[in-house]
PDB file of all heavy atoms in Angstrom:
ATOM      1  N   GLY A   1      -0.655-136.687   7.988  1.00  0.00           N
ATOM      2  CA  GLY A   1      -0.481-137.850   7.126  1.00  0.00           C
ATOM      3  C   GLY A   1      -1.041-137.689   5.734  1.00  0.00           C
ATOM      4  O   GLY A   1      -0.940-138.600   4.897  1.00  0.00           O
ATOM      5  N   LEU A   2      -1.625-136.533   5.464  1.00  0.00           N
ATOM      6  CA  LEU A   2      -2.312-136.318   4.193  1.00  0.00           C
ATOM      7  C   LEU A   2      -1.368-136.398   2.988  1.00  0.00           C
ATOM      8  O   LEU A   2      -1.699-136.997   1.966  1.00  0.00           O
ATOM      9  CB  LEU A   2      -3.008-134.948   4.234  1.00  0.00           C
ATOM     10  CG  LEU A   2      -3.800-134.525   3.006  1.00  0.00           C
ATOM     11  CD1 LEU A   2      -4.937-135.505   2.741  1.00  0.00           C
ATOM     12  CD2 LEU A   2      -4.361-133.106   3.204  1.00  0.00           C
ATOM     13  N   TYR A   3      -0.202-135.808   3.102  1.00  0.00           N
ATOM     14  CA  TYR A   3       0.735-135.738   1.968  1.00  0.00           C
ATOM     15  C   TYR A   3       1.144-137.134   1.512  1.00  0.00           C
ATOM     16  O   TYR A   3       1.060-137.464   0.324  1.00  0.00           O
ATOM     17  CB  TYR A   3       1.963-134.927   2.389  1.00  0.00           C
ATOM     18  CG  TYR A   3       2.888-134.518   1.256  1.00  0.00           C
ATOM     19  CD1 TYR A   3       2.751-133.273   0.650  1.00  0.00           C
ATOM     20  CD2 TYR A   3       3.910-135.346   0.816  1.00  0.00           C
ATOM     21  CE1 TYR A   3       3.607-132.864  -0.365  1.00  0.00           C
ATOM     22  CE2 TYR A   3       4.761-134.959  -0.205  1.00  0.00           C
ATOM     23  CZ  TYR A   3       4.598-133.717  -0.795  1.00  0.00           C
ATOM     24  OH  TYR A   3       5.445-133.331  -1.798  1.00  0.00           O
ATOM     25  N   ARG A   4       1.563-137.953   2.462  1.00  0.00           N
ATOM     26  CA  ARG A   4       2.002-139.294   2.109  1.00  0.00           C
ATOM     27  C   ARG A   4       0.862-140.108   1.480  1.00  0.00           C
ATOM     28  O   ARG A   4       1.070-140.826   0.503  1.00  0.00           O
ATOM     29  CB  ARG A   4       2.546-140.023   3.342  1.00  0.00           C
ATOM     30  CG  ARG A   4       2.982-141.469   3.059  1.00  0.00           C
ATOM     31  CD  ARG A   4       3.435-142.148   4.327  1.00  0.00           C
ATOM     32  NE  ARG A   4       4.693-141.608   4.797  1.00  0.00           N
ATOM     33  CZ  ARG A   4       5.892-141.997   4.353  1.00  0.00           C
ATOM     34  NH1 ARG A   4       5.965-142.934   3.416  1.00  0.00           N
ATOM     35  NH2 ARG A   4       6.983-141.475   4.834  1.00  0.00           N
ATOM     36  N   ARG A   5      -0.324-139.989   2.050  1.00  0.00           N
ATOM     37  CA  ARG A   5      -1.452-140.742   1.508  1.00  0.00           C
ATOM     38  C   ARG A   5      -1.761-140.341   0.070  1.00  0.00           C
ATOM     39  O   ARG A   5      -2.038-141.197  -0.775  1.00  0.00           O
ATOM     40  CB  ARG A   5      -2.705-140.540   2.376  1.00  0.00           C
ATOM     41  CG  ARG A   5      -2.626-141.173   3.754  1.00  0.00           C
ATOM     42  CD  ARG A   5      -4.002-141.238   4.412  1.00  0.00           C
ATOM     43  NE  ARG A   5      -4.611-139.930   4.555  1.00  0.00           N
ATOM     44  CZ  ARG A   5      -4.432-139.143   5.605  1.00  0.00           C
ATOM     45  NH1 ARG A   5      -3.617-139.526   6.599  1.00  0.00           N
ATOM     46  NH2 ARG A   5      -5.042-137.963   5.690  1.00  0.00           N
ATOM     47  N   ARG A   6      -1.668-139.048  -0.216  1.00  0.00           N
ATOM     48  CA  ARG A   6      -1.985-138.601  -1.585  1.00  0.00           C
ATOM     49  C   ARG A   6      -0.896-139.017  -2.562  1.00  0.00           C
ATOM     50  O   ARG A   6      -1.187-139.380  -3.710  1.00  0.00           O
ATOM     51  CB  ARG A   6      -2.176-137.074  -1.616  1.00  0.00           C
ATOM     52  CG  ARG A   6      -2.832-136.619  -2.924  1.00  0.00           C
ATOM     53  CD  ARG A   6      -4.193-137.251  -3.073  1.00  0.00           C
ATOM     54  NE  ARG A   6      -4.810-137.112  -4.395  1.00  0.00           N
ATOM     55  CZ  ARG A   6      -4.679-137.983  -5.398  1.00  0.00           C
ATOM     56  NH1 ARG A   6      -3.931-139.067  -5.259  1.00  0.00           N
ATOM     57  NH2 ARG A   6      -5.307-137.808  -6.535  1.00  0.00           N
ATOM     58  N   ILE A   7       0.357-138.977  -2.137  1.00  0.00           N
ATOM     59  CA  ILE A   7       1.448-139.434  -3.003  1.00  0.00           C
ATOM     60  C   ILE A   7       1.314-140.928  -3.280  1.00  0.00           C
ATOM     61  O   ILE A   7       1.470-141.385  -4.423  1.00  0.00           O
ATOM     62  CB  ILE A   7       2.823-139.115  -2.391  1.00  0.00           C
ATOM     63  CG1 ILE A   7       3.083-137.597  -2.388  1.00  0.00           C
ATOM     64  CG2 ILE A   7       3.932-139.837  -3.150  1.00  0.00           C
ATOM     65  CD1 ILE A   7       3.274-136.993  -3.762  1.00  0.00           C
ATOM     66  N   ASP A   8       1.013-141.707  -2.242  1.00  0.00           N
ATOM     67  CA  ASP A   8       0.836-143.152  -2.421  1.00  0.00           C
ATOM     68  C   ASP A   8      -0.248-143.438  -3.462  1.00  0.00           C
ATOM     69  O   ASP A   8      -0.070-144.276  -4.355  1.00  0.00           O
ATOM     70  CB  ASP A   8       0.428-143.814  -1.092  1.00  0.00           C
ATOM     71  CG  ASP A   8       1.584-143.882  -0.098  1.00  0.00           C
ATOM     72  OD1 ASP A   8       2.740-143.696  -0.525  1.00  0.00           O
ATOM     73  OD2 ASP A   8       1.321-144.108   1.098  1.00  0.00           O
ATOM     74  N   ARG A   9      -1.364-142.734  -3.343  1.00  0.00           N
ATOM     75  CA  ARG A   9      -2.477-142.972  -4.263  1.00  0.00           C
ATOM     76  C   ARG A   9      -2.112-142.541  -5.679  1.00  0.00           C
ATOM     77  O   ARG A   9      -2.436-143.232  -6.661  1.00  0.00           O
ATOM     78  CB  ARG A   9      -3.721-142.216  -3.772  1.00  0.00           C
ATOM     79  CG  ARG A   9      -4.979-142.589  -4.514  1.00  0.00           C
ATOM     80  CD  ARG A   9      -6.236-142.257  -3.720  1.00  0.00           C
ATOM     81  NE  ARG A   9      -6.494-140.829  -3.635  1.00  0.00           N
ATOM     82  CZ  ARG A   9      -6.425-140.119  -2.514  1.00  0.00           C
ATOM     83  NH1 ARG A   9      -6.079-140.686  -1.375  1.00  0.00           N
ATOM     84  NH2 ARG A   9      -6.707-138.830  -2.520  1.00  0.00           N
ATOM     85  N   LEU A  10      -1.403-141.426  -5.790  1.00  0.00           N
ATOM     86  CA  LEU A  10      -1.017-140.931  -7.115  1.00  0.00           C
ATOM     87  C   LEU A  10      -0.069-141.895  -7.822  1.00  0.00           C
ATOM     88  O   LEU A  10      -0.225-142.143  -9.033  1.00  0.00           O
ATOM     89  CB  LEU A  10      -0.355-139.556  -6.987  1.00  0.00           C
ATOM     90  CG  LEU A  10       0.262-138.977  -8.264  1.00  0.00           C
ATOM     91  CD1 LEU A  10      -0.791-138.837  -9.362  1.00  0.00           C
ATOM     92  CD2 LEU A  10       0.921-137.627  -7.977  1.00  0.00           C
ATOM     93  N   VAL A  11       0.890-142.435  -7.107  1.00  0.00           N
ATOM     94  CA  VAL A  11       1.829-143.373  -7.728  1.00  0.00           C
ATOM     95  C   VAL A  11       1.081-144.586  -8.260  1.00  0.00           C
ATOM     96  O   VAL A  11       1.363-145.075  -9.368  1.00  0.00           O
ATOM     97  CB  VAL A  11       2.924-143.790  -6.727  1.00  0.00           C
ATOM     98  CG1 VAL A  11       3.782-144.920  -7.292  1.00  0.00           C
ATOM     99  CG2 VAL A  11       3.821-142.588  -6.392  1.00  0.00           C
ATOM    100  N   ASP A  12       0.095-145.068  -7.504  1.00  0.00           N
ATOM    101  CA  ASP A  12      -0.718-146.198  -7.996  1.00  0.00           C
ATOM    102  C   ASP A  12      -1.521-145.804  -9.230  1.00  0.00           C
ATOM    103  O   ASP A  12      -1.707-146.615 -10.150  1.00  0.00           O
ATOM    104  CB  ASP A  12      -1.664-146.668  -6.897  1.00  0.00           C
ATOM    105  CG  ASP A  12      -0.950-147.388  -5.761  1.00  0.00           C
ATOM    106  OD1 ASP A  12       0.186-147.849  -5.994  1.00  0.00           O
ATOM    107  OD2 ASP A  12      -1.525-147.465  -4.661  1.00  0.00           O
ATOM    108  N   GLU A  13      -1.993-144.565  -9.267  1.00  0.00           N
ATOM    109  CA  GLU A  13      -2.796-144.100 -10.395  1.00  0.00           C
ATOM    110  C   GLU A  13      -1.963-143.870 -11.647  1.00  0.00           C
ATOM    111  O   GLU A  13      -2.441-144.082 -12.780  1.00  0.00           O
ATOM    112  CB  GLU A  13      -3.524-142.795 -10.020  1.00  0.00           C
ATOM    113  CG  GLU A  13      -4.586-142.963  -8.941  1.00  0.00           C
ATOM    114  CD  GLU A  13      -5.048-141.627  -8.370  1.00  0.00           C
ATOM    115  OE1 GLU A  13      -4.431-140.587  -8.695  1.00  0.00           O
ATOM    116  OE2 GLU A  13      -6.030-141.631  -7.591  1.00  0.00           O
ATOM    117  N   ILE A  14      -0.727-143.431 -11.440  1.00  0.00           N
ATOM    118  CA  ILE A  14       0.069-143.013 -12.593  1.00  0.00           C
ATOM    119  C   ILE A  14       0.739-144.192 -13.313  1.00  0.00           C
ATOM    120  O   ILE A  14       1.098-144.082 -14.484  1.00  0.00           O
ATOM    121  CB  ILE A  14       1.123-141.963 -12.155  1.00  0.00           C
ATOM    122  CG1 ILE A  14       1.405-140.984 -13.297  1.00  0.00           C
ATOM    123  CG2 ILE A  14       2.407-142.612 -11.653  1.00  0.00           C
ATOM    124  CD1 ILE A  14       2.180-139.757 -12.866  1.00  0.00           C
ATOM    125  N   ARG A  15       0.862-145.303 -12.632  1.00  0.00           N
ATOM    126  CA  ARG A  15       1.510-146.472 -13.268  1.00  0.00           C
ATOM    127  C   ARG A  15       0.776-146.913 -14.534  1.00  0.00           C
ATOM    128  O   ARG A  15       1.389-147.030 -15.600  1.00  0.00           O
ATOM    129  CB  ARG A  15       1.614-147.627 -12.274  1.00  0.00           C
ATOM    130  CG  ARG A  15       2.607-147.392 -11.146  1.00  0.00           C
ATOM    131  CD  ARG A  15       2.729-148.599 -10.233  1.00  0.00           C
ATOM    132  NE  ARG A  15       3.525-148.283  -9.057  1.00  0.00           N
ATOM    133  CZ  ARG A  15       4.847-148.255  -9.013  1.00  0.00           C
ATOM    134  NH1 ARG A  15       5.533-148.544 -10.108  1.00  0.00           N
ATOM    135  NH2 ARG A  15       5.483-147.964  -7.903  1.00  0.00           N
ATOM    136  N   PRO A  16      -0.525-147.159 -14.480  1.00  0.00           N
ATOM    137  CA  PRO A  16      -1.204-147.563 -15.718  1.00  0.00           C
ATOM    138  C   PRO A  16      -1.305-146.438 -16.743  1.00  0.00           C
ATOM    139  O   PRO A  16      -1.378-146.703 -17.956  1.00  0.00           O
ATOM    140  CB  PRO A  16      -2.593-148.004 -15.244  1.00  0.00           C
ATOM    141  CG  PRO A  16      -2.801-147.301 -13.943  1.00  0.00           C
ATOM    142  CD  PRO A  16      -1.454-147.211 -13.320  1.00  0.00           C
ATOM    143  N   LEU A  17      -1.306-145.167 -16.285  1.00  0.00           N
ATOM    144  CA  LEU A  17      -1.391-144.058 -17.231  1.00  0.00           C
ATOM    145  C   LEU A  17      -0.145-143.966 -18.109  1.00  0.00           C
ATOM    146  O   LEU A  17      -0.232-143.690 -19.311  1.00  0.00           O
ATOM    147  CB  LEU A  17      -1.580-142.732 -16.479  1.00  0.00           C
ATOM    148  CG  LEU A  17      -2.945-142.483 -15.827  1.00  0.00           C
ATOM    149  CD1 LEU A  17      -2.923-141.172 -15.047  1.00  0.00           C
ATOM    150  CD2 LEU A  17      -4.043-142.452 -16.882  1.00  0.00           C
ATOM    151  N   LEU A  18       1.011-144.195 -17.495  1.00  0.00           N
ATOM    152  CA  LEU A  18       2.261-144.078 -18.246  1.00  0.00           C
ATOM    153  C   LEU A  18       2.709-145.405 -18.837  1.00  0.00           C
ATOM    154  O   LEU A  18       3.495-145.436 -19.790  1.00  0.00           O
ATOM    155  CB  LEU A  18       3.367-143.519 -17.341  1.00  0.00           C
ATOM    156  CG  LEU A  18       3.123-142.096 -16.806  1.00  0.00           C
ATOM    157  CD1 LEU A  18       4.312-141.639 -15.970  1.00  0.00           C
ATOM    158  CD2 LEU A  18       2.890-141.119 -17.941  1.00  0.00           C
ATOM    159  N   ALA A  19       2.245-146.505 -18.250  1.00  0.00           N
ATOM    160  CA  ALA A  19       2.547-147.855 -18.766  1.00  0.00           C
ATOM    161  C   ALA A  19       4.040-148.014 -19.013  1.00  0.00           C
ATOM    162  O   ALA A  19       4.834-147.867 -18.092  1.00  0.00           O
ATOM    163  CB  ALA A  19       1.725-148.110 -20.023  1.00  0.00           C
ATOM    164  N   GLU A  20       4.423-148.311 -20.254  1.00  0.00           N
ATOM    165  CA  GLU A  20       5.837-148.581 -20.564  1.00  0.00           C
ATOM    166  C   GLU A  20       6.723-147.352 -20.362  1.00  0.00           C
ATOM    167  O   GLU A  20       7.950-147.476 -20.287  1.00  0.00           O
ATOM    168  CB  GLU A  20       5.975-149.068 -22.012  1.00  0.00           C
ATOM    169  CG  GLU A  20       5.323-150.417 -22.297  1.00  0.00           C
ATOM    170  CD  GLU A  20       3.865-150.255 -22.695  1.00  0.00           C
ATOM    171  OE1 GLU A  20       3.327-149.142 -22.518  1.00  0.00           O
ATOM    172  OE2 GLU A  20       3.273-151.238 -23.171  1.00  0.00           O
ATOM    173  N   ARG A  21       6.137-146.166 -20.291  1.00  0.00           N
ATOM    174  CA  ARG A  21       6.918-144.942 -20.109  1.00  0.00           C
ATOM    175  C   ARG A  21       7.158-144.609 -18.631  1.00  0.00           C
ATOM    176  O   ARG A  21       7.766-143.582 -18.332  1.00  0.00           O
ATOM    177  CB  ARG A  21       6.193-143.767 -20.758  1.00  0.00           C
ATOM    178  CG  ARG A  21       6.047-143.849 -22.265  1.00  0.00           C
ATOM    179  CD  ARG A  21       7.357-143.635 -22.981  1.00  0.00           C
ATOM    180  NE  ARG A  21       7.174-143.481 -24.419  1.00  0.00           N
ATOM    181  CZ  ARG A  21       8.163-143.450 -25.293  1.00  0.00           C
ATOM    182  NH1 ARG A  21       9.421-143.556 -24.863  1.00  0.00           N
ATOM    183  NH2 ARG A  21       7.923-143.307 -26.584  1.00  0.00           N
ATOM    184  N   LEU A  22       6.678-145.455 -17.725  1.00  0.00           N
ATOM    185  CA  LEU A  22       6.737-145.123 -16.307  1.00  0.00           C
ATOM    186  C   LEU A  22       8.149-144.787 -15.850  1.00  0.00           C
ATOM    187  O   LEU A  22       8.353-143.837 -15.085  1.00  0.00           O
ATOM    188  CB  LEU A  22       6.191-146.285 -15.458  1.00  0.00           C
ATOM    189  CG  LEU A  22       6.220-146.068 -13.942  1.00  0.00           C
ATOM    190  CD1 LEU A  22       5.293-144.921 -13.552  1.00  0.00           C
ATOM    191  CD2 LEU A  22       5.827-147.336 -13.204  1.00  0.00           C
ATOM    192  N   GLU A  23       9.135-145.541 -16.295  1.00  0.00           N
ATOM    193  CA  GLU A  23      10.513-145.297 -15.865  1.00  0.00           C
ATOM    194  C   GLU A  23      11.379-144.773 -17.007  1.00  0.00           C
ATOM    195  O   GLU A  23      12.591-144.918 -17.000  1.00  0.00           O
ATOM    196  CB  GLU A  23      11.099-146.584 -15.274  1.00  0.00           C
ATOM    197  CG  GLU A  23      10.359-147.048 -14.027  1.00  0.00           C
ATOM    198  CD  GLU A  23      11.015-148.240 -13.355  1.00  0.00           C
ATOM    199  OE1 GLU A  23      12.170-148.555 -13.688  1.00  0.00           O
ATOM    200  OE2 GLU A  23      10.371-148.857 -12.497  1.00  0.00           O
ATOM    201  N   ASP A  24      10.737-144.106 -17.945  1.00  0.00           N
ATOM    202  CA  ASP A  24      11.443-143.480 -19.063  1.00  0.00           C
ATOM    203  C   ASP A  24      11.836-142.060 -18.647  1.00  0.00           C
ATOM    204  O   ASP A  24      10.986-141.172 -18.539  1.00  0.00           O
ATOM    205  CB  ASP A  24      10.533-143.452 -20.292  1.00  0.00           C
ATOM    206  CG  ASP A  24      11.242-142.957 -21.544  1.00  0.00           C
ATOM    207  OD1 ASP A  24      12.178-142.140 -21.417  1.00  0.00           O
ATOM    208  OD2 ASP A  24      10.847-143.369 -22.656  1.00  0.00           O
TER     209      ASP A  24
END
């Protein structure tokens, strides 16, 4: 289950980092 857990956490972390560019 390690892979999914790390991807889940990364997606949460990357949203504020990219902000308006998240879906660019």
Side-chain angles (χ1 to χ4, degrees):
L2 181 61
Y3 192 94
R4 178 183 290 276
R5 291 194 301 272
R6 194 60 192 91
I7 291 292
D8 287 345
R9 190 159 71 247
L10 173 59
V11 172
D12 289 340
E13 293 167 351
I14 211 167
R15 290 183 189 279
L17 288 176
L18 297 182
E20 295 88 348
R21 295 288 190 189
L22 179 65
E23 297 186 14
D24 186 331

